[in-house]
Amino acid sequence: MKLSTTIRYGTRLMLDMAEQQGKGPIRIKTIAKRQGISEKYLEKIVRLLRKAGLVDGLRGPGGGYMLAVPPDKITLADILEAVQGKVELCPCLNEPEQCDKHEDCKTRKVWNDINQTIWMKLKGITLTDLRDSACPSEEELGSPSHWSMKGIKV
Amino acid sequence: MKLSTTIRYGTRLMLDMAEQQGKGPIRIKTIAKRQGISEKYLEKIVRLLRKAGLVDGLRGPGGGYMLAVPPDKITLADILEAVQGKVELCPCLNEPEQCDKHEDCKTRKVWNDINQTIWMKLKGITLTDLRDSACPSEEELGSPSHWSMKGIKV
DNA sequence: CTTAAATCATACTAACAAGGTATACTTCAA
DNA sequence: TTGAAGTATACCTTGTTAGTATGATTTAAG
């Protein structure tokens, strides 16, 4: 029930790119410094995003990375899937046969439910949403806030 | 983003007890066999639940464990907290000072949002809800289902 | 009063994943 | 042709998870 740094760093990286969009390729070194994350580690992460087709890499001097897709077409679910694969909350959701009780398991429904809810949320939040959002104050963090899900409130 | 076996086993254990409620103390050995989980491992987990005051233990022959609280007063959040402590989706939610960017971090809001949503769900589902629910068919698992949250639809 | 059934408690280990480094290679603009 | 960048892989260190082993303690039943 924890987000890996891969996800968190990956998201910040993508958000950073969305904010710098239109300014040409951005070097990992720059983002690493700006975000305070290890350069080599970020490189590793951005390569996953590249493989997933979310960013494009330009080699050589003056090179760097840039979004391969407009930021309003990139959701947090895309990012998460790119860096971690389609992770389910518990194994029996993907591969029921792993658990011999799966036919008679009431808990499966709950985990599936929460799992779905999380994915719905993630699918509903784009990089644009994130970029245009305000930084939360400490008080605001208490209750769940509302995100526009491609226009519709989640 | 994965549930530990501790949570999953702990939930099944509690559900098992809710189903057997009123029949006196139940031995771990029995539940372990019924649920197909290692006995020693379950012992370890149930001790956490005991410490949290969710179950009572009765020693000696004829002893076992039983719910210390009526099942409609026990939510999945209680169970999760008992076996894992108050886990947040990412460290910066509990201890902002851990991340020196926390004041200027838009992603924090999203993680907080999802975090809150998960906890709201967990708090809304009691052992009674679970016990009285139907086992899901494979098709049903696709979309998020609706759980009564102490009477109110979640 | 003894025995055995159960909880209770701690220590240990193996396996795995996460987080991060190091090294070396390719590509390509200046 | 040089060096700045991406690309790729291998490695390492640390922490967590999942599970086992061993034994002590309590107590009802015989």
Side-chain angles (χ1 to χ4, degrees):
Chain A
M1 287 285 285
K2 262 202 182 337
L3 293 170
S4 62
T5 55
T6 316
I7 294 176
R8 292 188 282 123
Y9 292 176
T11 306
R12 280 162 65 188
L13 178 125
M14 291 295 280
L15 174 58
D16 194 307
M17 283 189 168
E19 279 169 341
Q20 309 295 324
Q21 215 206 359
K23 299 188 184 171
I26 309 161
R27 285 176 303 161
I28 283 300
K29 184 179 266 180
T30 309
I31 300 184
K33 196 165 287 180
R34 186 154 49 212
Q35 297 287 338
I37 304 172
S38 145
E39 189 183 329
K40 283 292 175 193
Y41 195 36
L42 255 195
E43 263 185 21
K44 201 183 201 169
I45 295 172
V46 81
R47 226 171 300 133
L48 297 170
L49 294 164
R50 206 197 96 89
K51 256 186 195 157
L54 296 181
V55 300
D56 277 331
L58 224 72
R59 292 169 154 200
Y65 288 95
M66 48 206 312
L67 296 185
V69 178
D72 63 318
K73 299 291 179 213
I74 301 178
T75 70
L76 292 183
D78 297 327
I79 298 174
L80 203 141
E81 210 167 329
V83 300
Q84 298 245 301
K86 189 90 182 175
V87 186
E88 303 286 344
L89 213 54
C90 87
C92 61
L93 297 179
N94 267 342
E95 300 106 16
E97 58 284 348
Q98 276 215 359
C99 176
D100 55 344
K101 305 261 178 242
H102 73 271
E103 285 178 344
D104 187 35
C105 184
K106 292 173 175 175
T107 61
R108 255 183 104 208
K109 193 171 179 176
V110 199
W111 307 141
N112 175 71
D113 187 23
I114 294 175
N115 192 51
Q116 293 290 331
T117 306
I118 296 173
W119 279 100
M120 295 270 280
K121 281 243 167 207
L122 292 172
K123 278 188 186 143
I125 301 170
T126 68
L127 274 185
T128 315
D129 293 334
L130 242 193
R131 188 191 57 198
D132 299 344
S133 72
C135 292
S137 67
E138 226 50 51
E139 309 86 65
E140 277 179 301
L141 283 185
S143 55
S145 45
H146 293 291
W147 289 86
S148 73
M149 186 181 182
K150 287 170 181 167
I152 303 137
K153 288 282 179 188
V154 182
Chain B
M1 289 283 284
K2 262 201 183 333
L3 293 170
S4 62
T5 55
T6 315
I7 295 175
R8 292 189 282 121
Y9 292 176
T11 307
R12 280 162 66 187
L13 177 123
M14 291 294 280
L15 174 59
D16 194 307
M17 283 191 170
E19 280 169 341
Q20 309 294 324
Q21 216 207 359
K23 299 188 183 170
I26 309 162
R27 287 175 302 161
I28 283 300
K29 184 178 265 181
T30 309
I31 300 184
K33 196 166 285 180
R34 186 154 49 212
Q35 297 288 338
I37 303 172
S38 145
E39 189 183 327
K40 282 293 175 192
Y41 195 36
L42 255 196
E43 262 186 25
K44 199 182 200 169
I45 295 171
V46 82
R47 227 169 299 132
L48 297 170
L49 294 165
R50 208 198 97 89
K51 255 186 198 159
L54 297 181
V55 300
D56 277 331
L58 224 74
R59 292 169 154 201
Y65 288 95
M66 48 207 312
L67 296 185
V69 179
D72 63 318
K73 299 290 180 213
I74 301 178
T75 70
L76 291 183
D78 297 327
I79 297 174
L80 204 141
E81 211 166 329
V83 299
Q84 298 244 303
K86 189 88 180 175
V87 186
E88 302 287 343
L89 214 54
C90 86
C92 62
L93 296 179
N94 267 343
E95 301 105 15
E97 59 289 343
Q98 277 215 358
C99 176
D100 56 342
K101 305 262 178 241
H102 73 271
E103 285 178 344
D104 187 36
C105 184
K106 292 173 174 174
T107 60
R108 254 183 105 206
K109 194 171 179 176
V110 200
W111 307 142
N112 175 71
D113 188 23
I114 294 175
N115 193 50
Q116 293 291 331
T117 307
I118 296 173
W119 279 101
M120 295 268 282
K121 281 243 169 207
L122 292 172
K123 278 188 186 141
I125 301 171
T126 68
L127 275 186
T128 315
D129 292 334
L130 242 192
R131 187 191 57 197
D132 298 344
S133 72
C135 293
S137 67
E138 226 49 51
E139 310 85 65
E140 276 179 302
L141 284 186
S143 56
S145 45
H146 292 291
W147 289 87
S148 73
M149 186 180 182
K150 288 169 181 169
I152 303 138
K153 287 283 182 187
V154 184

